[in-house]
Amino acid sequence: QMQPVESGGGLVQAGGSLRLSCAASGRTFSGLAMGWFRQAPGKEREFVASIGWSGGRVRYVDSVRGRFTISRDNAKNTVYLQMNSLKPEDTAVYYCAVGKTGYSAGSYYPSNYDYWGQGTQVTVSS
């Protein structure tokens, strides 16, 4: 199995920025899409962003488009989520996920991802 590990979460004031990282040992991420999801207390897990295997295909949920940027460095087996202009509504646990074979361009749907990290808490104060 592959175990992604997220890092970079924390407490930030509204309008601030955080950069999340997701890395894994073992099997390379190369050739697979990567995604970020988040879950706030009492809410369903929500798609945030995904990136295709080569980095050329990106998708965002409307609420973060223009503020968040997903990127990847296949040589480092790492995916990033740069979060700018953070809002209290962005407060959630953020999860990194590795896409299944056959969904190399990314996907909005959790069922199309195989491996999930434990999550990192992002808290945005007003």
Side-chain angles (χ1 to χ4, degrees):
Q1 64 179 20
M2 180 184 296
Q3 182 63 61
V5 179
E6 304 94 339
S7 63
L11 175 64
V12 65
Q13 290 279 345
S17 298
L18 287 172
R19 184 177 176 86
L20 306 184
S21 298
C22 172
S25 60
R27 196 201 318 172
T28 179
F29 293 164
S30 181
L32 300 173
M34 301 290 294
W36 287 96
F37 293 77
R38 65 187 181 186
Q39 188 166 21
K43 303 291 185 179
E44 296 293 318
R45 187 166 295 189
E46 175 190 30
F47 170 83
V48 178
S50 67
I51 186 166
W53 71 271
S54 68
R57 174 67 162 162
V58 296
R59 297 171 177 173
Y60 299 97
V61 66
D62 287 345
S63 61
V64 310
R65 188 173 292 110
R67 299 188 298 119
F68 291 11
T69 302
I70 187 171
S71 62
R72 66 189 297 162
D73 186 339
N74 288 336
K76 296 181 179 179
N77 215 28
T78 302
V79 64
Y80 305 96
L81 186 68
Q82 178 67 47
M83 305 185 295
N84 298 326
S85 301
L86 282 162
K87 304 175 180 179
E89 303 92 277
D90 296 317
T91 295
V93 176
Y94 283 70
Y95 298 91
C96 174
V98 182
K100 293 180 177 178
T101 299
Y103 297 92
S104 60
S107 175
Y108 295 104
Y109 306 106
S111 62
N112 292 331
Y113 295 85
D114 266 333
Y115 304 104
W116 295 78
Q118 296 299 304
T120 185
Q121 177 70 48
V122 172
T123 302
V124 184
S125 64
S126 59

